[in-house]
Amino acid sequence: MNLPQAFLDRMKERLGRDFPAFLASYERLPYKGLRVNTLKISAEEFARRAPFPLGGNVGGDPACFYIEEEKPGADPYHFAGLYYLQEPSAMTVAAEAKGYGAKRVLDLCAAPGGKATQLAAQMAGEGVLIANEVNYARAKILLQNAERMGIANCAVISASPETLAARFPSYFDLVLADAPCSGEGMFKKEENAIPEWSAENVLRCAVRQRAILDEAAKMVAGGGRLLYSTCTFAEEEDEWQVEDFLARHPEFRLERMQKRYPHEFAGEGHFCAVFAKQDGETLSPKPFPVRKQREAERAFHAFEEAFFPEPLQGAVHTLADGRMYLVPAGMPDLSGASILRLGVELGEWDGKLFKPAHALAMAFGARAKSKISLTRGEARQYLRGETLSRGGPDGWCAVCVEEFPLGLGKCVDGIVKNHLPKGLRQVK
Ligand code: SAM
């Protein structure tokens, strides 16, 4: 690997006699990890059914495993959202927030969603998570991951940190700022991070991180936490950023700081710091203004009664074009941000019929009255978009790999029409 000489010189100066061990870490293949989505399956149950060998736990976390599988993203369990593929040291960041029981959580730089989906699993359906990504194209990937993981208490939005800070002063119990960085821990995974590296870029990143942190700080409620992380080793972006932040923000104190180098921890490297804000005010913006459309709601409730044994919890919000969302209690007003998803997309009403959404099956399909349980082999047929010839009673059903929903189907005369969205189908 052709690492920039200026980077190597900096690391040699910083690490001293540890430098050869650091350098040697570039000789081995990158570590790979899998985090079980405990919203859908317990870590123990997943370990029993794992479709490929699991290694040891990452950082002692029972839901996080090392893996060596070549194509772990191609397995039906992955499509069912039973796990998220994540670089092992990145898994240790959101885990820092485990004990806080935060109910109002913001992930400010959330795409593609590794840490946001981990925060959601830790929240276990309690409270509300706002997953924000300023880059709209990346926010769409975040949305897909949030839906695959079946997260119900989350909004996916796209806004700048400044816009959000103006909207949510002193509001969140926990703000995660996993900031864009010079990516020194990504050189193995993304080789184009190597030519992009320069000392000037490190500085540019540090300036941007400082601005992001200042906006993030405004949104933390009294007594709340700010979790800052990068996947780089540069002090300008890590330790010095922390020192400068504390100097600018006497209302915060440093609770913990963790740097994971690839020669000390079995991962590619990460940095994180937890700041605690002194007690003070917690402000509440207006609640989300749920829009009620009587006919649409009636059509949804008719579907709900036929499809689920119990009504779903939350308020039904209808957009002007007939798309409907289930908004969890506690969702704040998000005006000013582009909203990609509010709670769970329920489906669409065209003035006559209600058509359920794929996201509904991913979040609540396990509770459906009508389910089709496929073997892992049959699941691959469904994922390719094929029709299935083993339907149940006529009407909508949740199509599952074993008991885990993959999407929707519609049974007619023993045949299940495939309603997996075209963009999610696997090529033959
Ligand atoms: N937290 C994510 C995860 O675990 O999957 C990874 C986040 S990545 C390190 C940083 C993100 O910050 C990128 O998606 C990038 O688009 C976004 N970003 C870039 N510039 C930004 C800015 N000025 N303010 C906020 N976010 C920014």
Side-chain angles (χ1 to χ4, degrees):
M1 190 175 298
N2 212 354
L3 297 171
Q5 191 55 47
F7 164 70
L8 293 174
D9 293 344
R10 284 162 58 102
M11 293 308 295
K12 191 170 184 180
E13 194 182 328
R14 194 170 313 143
L15 296 174
R17 58 200 182 109
D18 286 343
F19 179 69
F22 173 77
L23 199 57
S25 73
Y26 287 93
E27 301 299 321
R28 55 159 173 75
L29 289 172
Y31 284 104
K32 290 200 285 192
L34 166 162
R35 181 171 44 76
V36 179
N37 180 13
T38 51
L39 294 174
K40 298 209 176 195
I41 188 169
S42 71
E44 300 73 36
E45 185 56 27
F46 182 80
R48 267 194 290 279
R49 300 196 198 189
F52 42 77
L54 300 177
N57 289 124
V58 179
D61 188 324
C64 299
F65 295 92
Y66 289 98
I67 54 166
E68 288 183 2
E69 176 68 12
E70 280 293 312
K71 289 189 175 163
D75 193 274
Y77 285 168
H78 185 253
F79 292 95
L82 299 196
Y83 57 87
Y84 190 98
L85 299 169
Q86 198 172 14
E87 190 281 308
S89 57
M91 295 174 178
T92 64
V93 173
E96 291 285 342
K98 249 185 193 168
Y100 297 135
K103 298 282 186 287
R104 295 171 168 193
V105 179
L106 169 66
D107 186 344
L108 188 54
C109 313
K115 298 177 187 75
T117 55
Q118 189 170 2
L119 287 170
Q122 286 169 197
M123 291 166 78
E126 298 279 318
V128 170
L129 168 69
I130 308 291
N132 176 65
E133 167 56 47
V134 68
N135 176 325
Y136 195 84
R138 285 176 62 81
K140 287 202 225 163
I141 300 168
L142 168 65
L143 167 71
Q144 271 193 6
N145 280 325
E147 291 196 337
R148 182 171 63 83
M149 305 301 269
I151 302 166
N153 57 334
C154 160
V156 176
I157 64 171
S158 182
S160 69
E162 295 75 15
T163 304
L164 289 182
R167 181 108 218 128
F168 292 105
S170 302
Y171 176 71
F172 293 101
D173 305 331
L174 175 70
V175 176
L176 167 61
D178 183 32
C181 68
S182 58
E184 293 171 354
M186 300 291 279
F187 286 166
K188 267 195 246 170
K189 194 174 163 212
E190 285 174 26
E191 287 218 2
N192 58 1
I194 300 178
E196 275 171 25
W197 187 93
S198 67
E200 298 80 54
N201 191 40
V202 167
L203 273 186
R204 269 197 299 275
C205 289
V207 169
R208 188 164 50 181
Q209 288 150 356
R210 173 192 164 110
I212 292 173
L213 273 172
D214 285 347
E215 298 306 322
K218 293 178 193 164
M219 293 186 265
V220 181
R225 303 292 192 304
L226 169 58
L227 181 50
Y228 171 66
S229 63
T230 74
C231 56
T232 206
F233 310 119
E235 282 155 311
E236 294 89 332
E237 303 177 60
D238 295 349
E239 294 85 349
W240 299 355
Q241 193 67 254
V242 166
E243 276 175 34
D244 292 0
F245 177 81
L246 291 168
R248 291 196 305 282
H249 294 276
E251 74 278 21
F252 282 90
R253 68 182 167 79
L254 181 64
E255 234 174 31
R256 283 190 302 289
M257 192 158 78
Q258 178 75 257
K259 190 140 186 167
R260 300 204 185 272
Y261 283 112
H263 58 287
E264 293 171 345
F265 181 86
E268 301 311 313
H270 234 84
F271 171 82
C272 79
V274 185
F275 302 100
K277 195 172 189 175
Q278 67 192 25
D279 285 340
E281 57 185 5
T282 299
L283 299 180
S284 286
K286 290 185 293 206
F288 185 85
V290 172
R291 200 193 291 149
K292 297 208 156 289
Q293 215 291 359
R294 211 156 10 103
E295 291 82 2
E297 232 178 286
R298 208 177 293 138
F300 165 68
H301 286 311
F303 166 84
E304 183 187 39
E305 212 180 307
F307 197 71
F308 293 111
E310 306 270 338
L312 301 175
Q313 297 295 312
V316 178
H317 175 70
T318 307
L319 301 186
D321 63 7
R323 270 176 303 150
M324 301 167 79
Y325 292 85
L326 189 71
V327 183
M331 181 66 74
D333 186 0
L334 295 165
S335 42
S338 298
I339 303 175
L340 288 88
R341 179 190 203 246
L342 252 183
V344 176
E345 185 180 0
L346 294 173
E348 217 171 328
W349 182 69
D350 65 3
K352 283 196 201 123
L353 285 178
F354 172 80
K355 185 176 176 226
H358 173 73
L360 176 72
M362 296 310 284
F364 303 121
R367 304 183 199 168
K369 287 186 203 166
S370 178
K371 279 187 288 207
I372 294 190
S373 167
L374 305 178
T375 62
R376 292 166 47 75
E378 291 167 328
R380 290 183 197 279
Q381 285 174 261
Y382 175 76
L383 290 168
R384 287 196 295 265
E386 293 172 22
T387 299
L388 306 167
S389 55
R390 53 199 235 48
D394 280 4
W396 289 103
C397 60
V399 180
C400 306
V401 51
E402 297 154 5
E403 68 267 43
F404 307 107
L406 291 165
L408 289 166
K410 200 167 184 187
C411 303
V412 183
D413 298 334
I415 301 287
V416 185
K417 196 168 167 227
N418 196 315
H419 280 264
L420 187 68
K422 296 222 161 45
L424 297 179
R425 293 183 185 181
Q426 296 309 289
V427 275
K428 293 183 194 183

